[in-house]
Amino acid sequence: MADTQQSDPKAEQTSGQRAEQKAERKADRKAARLAKRISGFATAHGGAEGQIAYLGQRGARIVLVGEDGDWGDLVAHSYPIAQKAAERAGLTLHDDFDGELAAKVRTGRYEWTRMAGLQIGGPANG
């Protein structure tokens, strides 16, 4: 009889492969948490649309605009995590934050004074 030996697929993985799989699972968990927050925002505001902006090494910013005009943002550790979170949440994404999406944003007194500063009598920025 010939000696047969079954191999364990886990034992054959290199440490690099295991580290890569661990990083992938961690990214999936982060995307799931972000997707939950995106879904919560959409539920609270009658639906939502968004745009993802690359922030360099810091990651990516997901800007959310609710159907009621309220807006908010979230930061993901990477652009792919932001994309995965938006996809899981069913968020409609726009390429740019202009035109139709920007027109939906409702700003209040706080935003106007922070953006305009001294030009229209807002608080001093210095």
Side-chain angles (χ1 to χ4, degrees), residues 78-96:
S78 70
Y79 199 90
I81 289 174
Q83 287 179 310
K84 188 179 284 190
E87 183 180 301
R88 282 186 180 186
L91 185 68
T92 300
L93 289 175
H94 294 263
D95 293 330
D96 297 309

Side-chain angles (χ1 to χ4, degrees), residues 50-120:
Q51 190 258 339
I52 301 175
Y54 180 66
L55 296 175
Q57 289 183 340
R58 302 205 85 162
R61 179 181 186 207
I62 307 168
V63 180
L64 303 169
V65 179
E67 288 299 316
D68 61 0
D70 281 352
W71 63 279
D73 65 347
L74 300 167
V75 176
H77 285 79
S78 70
Y79 199 90
I81 289 174
Q83 287 179 310
K84 188 179 284 190
E87 183 180 301
R88 282 186 180 186
L91 185 68
T92 300
L93 289 175
H94 294 263
D95 293 330
D96 297 309
F97 192 81
D98 61 3
E100 183 183 325
L101 184 62
K104 288 184 176 185
V105 175
R106 185 184 66 217
T107 55
R109 179 170 169 72
Y110 172 79
E111 287 86 6
W112 279 103
T113 57
R114 295 290 297 163
M115 289 187 282
L118 293 173
Q119 288 80 6
I120 62 168

Side-chain angles (χ1 to χ4, degrees), residues 5-9 12:
Q5 186 177 11
Q6 291 184 350
S7 61
D8 183 10
E12 291 178 8

